[in-house]
Structure formats: structure tokens, C-alpha cells
Amino acid sequence: MQQQAVLLACSTESNITAWDLATATQLTQYKGNASGRGRVTRLGSDYLAAAQNSKDAIHFWTWHKDQVLQRCFTQEPLTALAASPNGAYLVGGGASGTLYCWEAFSGRLLRSWPAHYKAVSCLAFSDSGGLLVSAGEDTLVAAWLLAEVLDEQRDGPAAAAAAVGMARVEPLHTWSEHTLPVTCIYLGCGEGSALLATASLDRSVKLWSLTTGQLLRTITLPAGVTSVTLDAGEHVLLAGCVDGSIWEAPLAGQQLAAPAAAAAAAGGSGAAAAASDAAAAAAAAAGVVGGPGSCCYEGHSKAISSLEITPDGEQLVSGSEDGTARIWDLRSRQCLRSIASPNKAPVTAALLMAWPGHLGPAGSAGRQGPKRLQPLAALAKFAGAAGTSKPWEGALTVLDGSLCSNSSSSCSNAASTAAAVAGLLPGPLANPLDLLQLQGSVAAPAAANGGLINQQQQGSGQGSGQQQQQQDVAQLQQQVEQLQQQLQESRQVSGQWQALHGELHQFCTDKVLAAGLDA
């Protein structure tokens, strides 16, 4: 199995340290970081990104260098940061509740939109990166389709292009059942049918269905929840609280797991054990964790900032504001190893990762990077800026040659029409709908251009040119109508499949919950 490492990041100015999971020995460190909870993320396979506390900046590191590789500045302090699984997109949440989406390869700020009324507290991508979930201090949780975020047609026609990248995006789902700020979210496997867990300072963890948006279960804990995770099979929930405790709750049945010590303590008499079991069953049925028979991992003295389960499902890694990270055995619930952060600074992130094979086992001397790094450009601060792209580099433009006939005159007229329309649009040609809106303004520039070339042929040449341009525009309009009809048919089929998928998912959910209650 590939070597696993734990990355520790702190809220005060210090280094991000990498530790070997098996031996708790330090592998390397990355200098120049001070990031809060939920602001550190991996970007693809080659980079680490962290939003800084004291300045409106994002720092980037590559695994084989301990110095900051790149610094990018943002419009406001970022309170949350997440990257798509393939590293193509980076999303940050601001203190004002605004979400920012960058394209990592080009550095362009693709879109920024108001998503929350207060600061964004956490972000999470689905396995394929097609779904983004955000939560904020306004107690709201929202799910966003990445395709909707990247849809440039939301910016409207060229006449309203002054606010490029600022069009509002409508969420797929919005939940507002929490009563205090949401501190952590966990998005399971399954893309649109994934299980979503949200944790809040209101001492509750809520489980949601992304398919229907319905609340599946609410679990109440003894203290405010600051971190949450589920095992690979999504049978057991682990929640960390503000008092440093970590609670374990099974999701399949009603009876909560009890550690051996609690069972021994409750075994003083048969009546006492029966009363304890009855109280635990009643608490479990009500969705309450922390009563008799519940399971608690004790060792941290301050709030839990991070929880992650190892890929083999045998160990739990927890980070805490007490300046330590602990590795727990999930079977015995015992602490195997404890790792201290530099200068005992509060740990805000304890990330698990497969240590790159091209790096040495320890230290930074003699390390070499991969043969080819993933492209990374400096992030643009404002929408519409090209980042570090060259002036001639931009979005791909597909030219359809169906308008050109065999005769050279038709091709020339079509080319002049395209040139005239492109001259009217501010920037690259947006879509065929812009051609329809400029249908009345195409003929005049083209006719004027023809008059400048040859004034003697203005009478007959201009008339034929206008006629050909009108035919070209009519063909474009016909193509747009056909595309709109195909789009409508595709949406109908997609809606039918979505309805069938939702019914199937609800049926399976009811069966699983019924089986758990019967057990």
C-alpha cells in the first residue's frame, strides 16, 4: 500500500508539516502559512493551496519544495477553500458570503456570486466534481451544479456584458434547518444520490438526500459540533465537538455502540445494566448521542477541527485546537499516536494524503519533482481578467463552415458578415443568439464596407450583398431554432430520468431505514 501522510496546518504563522501515518515521523514541512479551519485543500496531484488569515491571499506549494511557489491575492479574505478532484477548478468562499470560482489552468475568475448572507464556513466537492456544496455562518447550506456555475450564457447578451461573471446562480437545493452557524459538511459517494451530512454549533448533525433534498435523520450531541465524517460504507458517523470530545454513532440501527469500559462500568448489577440499556435505546431512538451506552473518544482538550478516516477504514485522524493531532484505532477506540504541531499552535487542518512516490521518505534534501507538473497560473483578482494568459489566448471558438457555398462570392459574403458581426460584439463571439439580436445592424456595416471598396458597383453589388447576408442570417436563425428544439427534448428526457432515479433512491432509502429500525 502507498505510504500515507498527515498534513498539519495551523491558524498562527507557522509551517505546514507532513508526518508519516505509520510511524509519526516528520517527512517535510512547507513554510509560510497561517490558515483557519476549512481553508486548506489539495489542488490536483501536484499542489497544496491555503487561504491565509492575515491577508487576502492564497498560497500555493508543490510537494518537492518547502517554499511558497505562488501567491495570489483576492478581493476579500477567504473563509473557505476547496478544489475539484481533478484540480481544474478552485472555489473560495468569502467573509461577505460570496463564492469565487477560478480555472486553475488559466487563472481566470470564471464567476463570483452571492451565495450566503454571512461568511462561508465550509465547501465540499462531489467525487466527480460536478456538484459543489457550501455552508455558512447564516445557518444555510446550498448545493450548486458546477455546470450552472460555468455556464457563460448566464451573463446575458452582449448589451448587458458590463457585469461579466456576476450573474446569480440558482442552487439545486437549499437547507435552512440549522439554528446556529454550520461548521462542517461531509459529502459521501454517489454524486447526485450522495448522502450529505451537515454539522452545526446547535449541537446537531443532519443527514440529507441530495436526490430529493429531504432530511433523513437528525442526530443530537452533547456539545456544538465542529467536524464530522462517515466511514466508507456510511454506516457509522463520527462527530467532533467544541469540548474536544469525538462521538461515534451508528446510522443503520437504533442501538449505539458502547466501549468496553462503559459496559464494564454499567455491569455492576443486572437491574442497573437493564436500566442503562433501556436509556440508551430511548436516546438512540430520539437521535440523541451522548447518553448512556454512547461511544466517546477522549484525549483532546479543545475543539476538534478536522476528522478523517484512513483509506483502509482502520484508523481515524483527528486534529484539534489544543495543538495536537491524534491517530485512533477504530476497533479498540484507543489513541495509537499523537503528533504535536509546531510551537503547539492550534491545528486547523489534518489532511490525509497518499505521499507522492517521487519524493524521498524523509527530509527535503535531494527531492525531485515530477517530470511534468500540472498547469497552474496566477489567479485573477477580478472577473473578466485573463489571468496570466497571453492577449491572443482565450476561449475556444468553433467556426461552422456550412454557410459557405461552392462559389467564392458566397464565401466572401459570409466572411464579411462574420467580420461585421464580430466587430459589433465586445470580445469573442458569444453564441448564435447574439447574431439574431444583431440581425438589423449587420447589413449597414457590411454595405458601407462594400461601398468603400468599390463605389462604382454600389448599386448592384450592395443589393446582392444585403440579400446574401439576409439569407445567411435566416440560416443561422433556423439552426438556432433546431438547437433549441433539441435542447427542449433533451431536458424532457433528463427530467424523466431524474424522476425515475429519485423514485428508485427513495425506495432504497425506505428499505434500508426500515431494515435498520426492524433490527
Side-chain angles (χ1 to χ4, degrees):
M1 186 177 179
Q2 191 173 0
Q3 181 184 16
Q4 296 292 317
V6 182
L7 296 179
L8 297 186
C10 303
S11 59
T12 59
E13 189 68 32
S14 60
N15 299 332
I16 297 178
T17 53
W19 303 80
D20 181 42
L21 178 66
T23 62
T25 57
Q26 184 172 336
L27 299 174
T28 187
Q29 59 184 0
Y30 303 97
K31 301 178 181 179
N33 175 73
S35 56
R37 186 186 307 166
R39 306 179 195 184
V40 181
T41 182
R42 293 185 59 189
L43 181 62
S45 58
D46 297 328
Y47 304 104
L48 177 69
Q52 302 302 298
N53 291 337
S54 59
K55 45 193 172 182
D56 306 345
I58 304 176
H59 289 184
F60 295 87
W61 297 265
T62 184
W63 303 120
H64 63 285
K65 295 182 179 180
D66 57 357
Q67 299 291 338
V68 176
L69 177 68
Q70 182 174 279
R71 292 178 175 89
C72 301
F73 295 93
T74 58
Q75 299 180 26
E76 62 172 326
L78 296 185
T79 55
L81 194 68
S84 60
N86 60 358
Y89 303 102
L90 183 68
V91 177
S96 64
T98 304
L99 290 182
Y100 304 88
C101 180
W102 288 276
E103 186 179 44
F105 302 149
S106 64
R108 291 191 305 150
L109 178 57
L110 301 178
R111 186 171 303 283
S112 60
W113 72 99
H116 294 272
Y117 300 102
K118 292 185 179 180
V120 180
S121 57
C122 44
L123 296 167
F125 271 97
S126 60
D127 291 336
S128 68
L131 195 67
L132 171 69
V133 179
S134 65
E137 295 181 1
D138 56 359
T139 73
L140 298 179
V141 181
W144 314 87
L145 288 175
L146 189 61
E148 297 283 345
V149 175
L150 303 180
D151 185 9
E152 295 184 356
Q153 308 307 326
R154 286 186 168 273
D155 295 329
V164 174
M166 289 298 295
R168 184 175 181 85
V169 183
E170 295 299 329
L172 178 66
H173 296 296
T174 301
W175 299 282
S176 57
E177 276 71 10
H178 285 292
T179 57
L180 288 178
V182 180
T183 56
C184 181
I185 53 180
Y186 175 86
L187 190 56
C189 302
E191 199 61 23
S193 60
L195 183 67
L196 174 64
T198 60
S200 171
L201 293 178
D202 61 5
R203 302 188 305 160
S204 70
V205 176
K206 296 182 182 293
L207 303 179
W208 310 88
S209 169
L210 278 183
T211 303
T212 61
Q214 294 181 351
L215 176 64
L216 301 178
R217 187 173 179 182
T218 298
I219 300 174
T220 304
L221 289 101
V225 187
T226 54
S227 185
V228 66
T229 188
L230 277 75
D231 66 333
E234 298 181 351
H235 300 306
V236 177
L237 180 140
L238 293 161
C241 300
V242 294
D243 58 358
S245 60
I246 303 174
W247 296 90
E248 176 182 326
L251 302 179
Q254 294 182 351
Q255 183 64 35
L256 298 180
S269 63
S276 177
D277 293 341
V288 178
V289 178
S294 59
C295 173
C296 178
Y297 296 74
E298 296 181 352
H300 289 294
S301 58
K302 292 185 179 180
I304 305 298
S305 58
S306 177
L307 288 177
E308 285 201 40
I309 296 178
T310 57
D312 58 8
E314 298 291 333
Q315 297 175 347
L316 171 70
V317 178
S318 63
S320 171
E321 294 180 1
D322 61 7
T324 64
R326 294 178 180 267
I327 303 172
W328 308 82
D329 180 70
L330 286 177
R331 294 187 178 181
S332 63
R333 304 182 181 89
Q334 298 297 319
C335 179
L336 302 178
R337 288 172 291 277
S338 178
I339 303 173
S341 64
N343 301 324
K344 296 289 287 184
V347 176
T348 54
L351 303 181
L352 270 174
M353 61 169 288
W355 192 241
H358 56 78
L359 299 180
S364 59
R367 292 186 300 169
Q368 296 182 355
K371 295 182 179 179
R372 182 176 298 176
L373 284 171
Q374 181 178 350
L376 178 65
L379 304 183
K381 188 173 183 179
F382 300 100
T388 57
S389 301
K390 302 297 187 298
W392 58 84
E393 294 178 347
L396 296 177
T397 302
V398 179
L399 299 179
D400 188 4
S402 60
L403 296 178
C404 293
S405 61
N406 295 330
S407 62
S408 59
S409 61
S410 299
C411 292
S412 177
N413 291 332
S416 63
T417 302
V421 174
L424 293 175
L425 291 177
L429 192 60
N431 51 53
L433 294 178
D434 296 331
L435 294 178
L436 298 180
Q437 294 177 357
L438 297 174
Q439 179 179 359
S441 58
V442 168
N449 187 27
L452 292 175
I453 294 175
N454 193 352
Q455 297 179 358
Q456 296 178 355
Q457 299 178 356
Q458 184 176 6
S460 58
Q462 183 178 359
S464 60
Q466 291 180 355
Q467 184 178 3
Q468 181 63 37
Q469 292 166 8
Q470 291 176 359
Q471 293 177 0
D472 295 341
V473 173
Q475 292 180 7
L476 284 175
Q477 185 175 5
Q478 184 178 3
Q479 292 180 7
V480 171
E481 292 176 354
Q482 292 177 356
L483 290 175
Q484 289 177 346
Q485 183 177 2
Q486 294 177 3
L487 177 62
Q488 185 177 4
E489 294 176 355
S490 300
R491 286 178 174 175
Q492 292 177 355
V493 175
S494 175
Q496 294 175 358
W497 279 107
Q498 185 176 6
L500 291 174
H501 183 273
E503 294 177 0
L504 178 60
H505 183 270
Q506 187 63 35
F507 174 78
C508 296
T509 302
D510 295 341
K511 288 293 184 181
V512 170
L513 293 178
L517 293 176
D518 294 340

